[in-house]
Amino acid sequence: MDGTTDGTADDGTAHDGAMVDGTGHDGRVHDGTGHDGRVRDGTVDVGAADYVDRVKALVDEVSRTQTDAVGRAAELMVACLLDDGVIQAFGSGHSEAIAMEIAGRAGGLVPSNRLALRDVVLYGEAPVATLLGPAGELERDPSVARRIYDLAPVRPQDVFVLISSSGVNGSVVELASIVKERGHGLIALTSVRHSTAMTSRHPSGRKLLDLADVVLDNRAPYGDAVLPLPGGGTFGAVSTITSALLAQMVVAEVVRGLTRAGRTPPIYRSANVTGGDEHNRLLENRYAGRIRRGA
């Protein structure tokens, strides 16, 4: 990764010239973590504009640093699709939102399938109570990964995209292990900054980024949030935004690759435009039994 990870230069200055641990000419303060704000009544005063500034900086950081990884991820996916494969996407917790960016959305690839923790209930024989335990319990359980994989309509040529900002929970690490054991290509979408600061929750001690063929780094900070709270702590999470950006960057490169290979990219139209349903059903029929479009 380039230089620093917090948006500051190696000489202790922010890219906009404001001093870290001091006040810049614009009245902003920096607390050494990249969190910007303004002093009001002796406290840091931050809001929507500050959040937008941080998001813009991270979007720029992603676009500058992840181009090569995006290209390599797209190459894996193009090869998969040219071989009549399907992109299998998995994320638990909030990361499922990014799996939804990859599988089954307007402007995205039709040959894509979303895997989820609830598959063990919807497609297996696990009781509904399996999903009703304490928050985070199921995603930390390595044993659920084998059931998710075995229940999925997977073929050998399929490529997996596993999304987890921390990349340390048992289910995603175990699923990554199974994916590699079975010989699939594996793309990890994670926060390198967060993951490297964590201890793995998988018995092997490995993390998602240790197993992937390609790592897409969403550049989110440890803890995800970017703005300081009075008295300590942070708010304003960013990983969803930068991860969605990476997902769409990869799709754009996949479309480019398929077009250059002389193929018409199988892309969803919005179901809310005239002819969208008919267009989508025609394409989905090519992958009958291999892509799920349920809850």
Side-chain angles (χ1 to χ4, degrees), residues 195-210:
S195 191
T196 54
M198 291 284 290
T199 299
S200 175
R201 292 175 173 140
H202 189 270
S204 70
R206 293 183 296 183
K207 303 174 184 179
L208 174 59
L209 55 74
D210 297 326

Side-chain angles (χ1 to χ4, degrees), residues 32-262:
T33 65
H35 303 138
D36 299 343
R38 291 176 175 78
V39 174
R40 176 175 296 174
D41 297 328
T43 62
V44 176
D45 179 39
V46 292
D50 303 285
Y51 179 73
V52 170
D53 286 345
R54 291 295 294 148
V55 168
K56 285 180 178 178
L58 282 168
V59 165
D60 180 65
E61 191 176 323
V62 167
S63 65
R64 283 187 298 103
T65 64
Q66 299 304 297
T67 302
D68 288 346
V70 165
R72 287 184 282 115
E75 288 175 2
L76 277 178
M77 291 169 67
V78 168
C80 162
L81 297 178
L82 291 177
D83 193 28
D84 195 34
V86 164
I87 309 304
Q88 305 282 349
F90 171 82
S92 63
H94 211 78
S95 293
E96 189 176 353
I98 310 306
M100 294 172 72
E101 284 290 314
I102 295 168
R105 70 153 298 153
L109 296 163
V110 173
S112 56
N113 185 55
R114 175 162 49 98
L115 309 177
L117 294 173
R118 62 182 169 276
D119 290 354
V120 299
V121 173
L122 292 177
Y123 304 104
E125 298 179 355
V128 173
T130 304
L131 306 177
L132 302 179
E137 182 178 63
L138 191 59
E139 70 176 345
R140 295 181 181 182
D141 180 4
S143 69
V144 74
R146 178 70 61 180
R147 287 179 282 165
I148 291 170
Y149 183 91
D150 289 344
L151 288 167
V154 176
R155 292 189 181 180
Q157 67 268 43
D158 292 354
V159 164
F160 283 70
V161 183
L162 305 187
I163 307 105
S164 171
S165 221
S166 69
V168 300
N169 282 318
S171 64
V172 73
V173 176
E174 182 67 15
L175 184 56
S177 300
I178 294 167
V179 165
K180 292 313 298 173
E181 287 170 5
R182 298 296 181 91
H184 301 284
L186 173 58
I187 299 162
L189 204 169
T190 189
S191 166
V192 172
R193 212 171 300 173
H194 189 130
S195 191
T196 54
M198 291 284 290
T199 299
S200 175
R201 292 175 173 140
H202 189 270
S204 70
R206 293 183 296 183
K207 303 174 184 179
L208 174 59
L209 55 74
D210 297 326
L211 295 157
D213 298 301
V214 180
V215 174
L216 299 172
D217 183 5
N218 65 27
R219 310 294 280 190
Y222 177 71
D224 205 341
V226 294
L227 297 178
L229 283 167
T234 54
F235 71 101
V238 294
S239 65
T240 305
I241 295 172
T242 53
S243 294
L245 172 64
L246 280 166
Q248 294 301 332
M249 288 172 68
V250 172
V251 170
E253 287 302 305
V254 170
V255 169
R256 186 206 295 266
L258 291 174
T259 302
R260 286 178 172 177

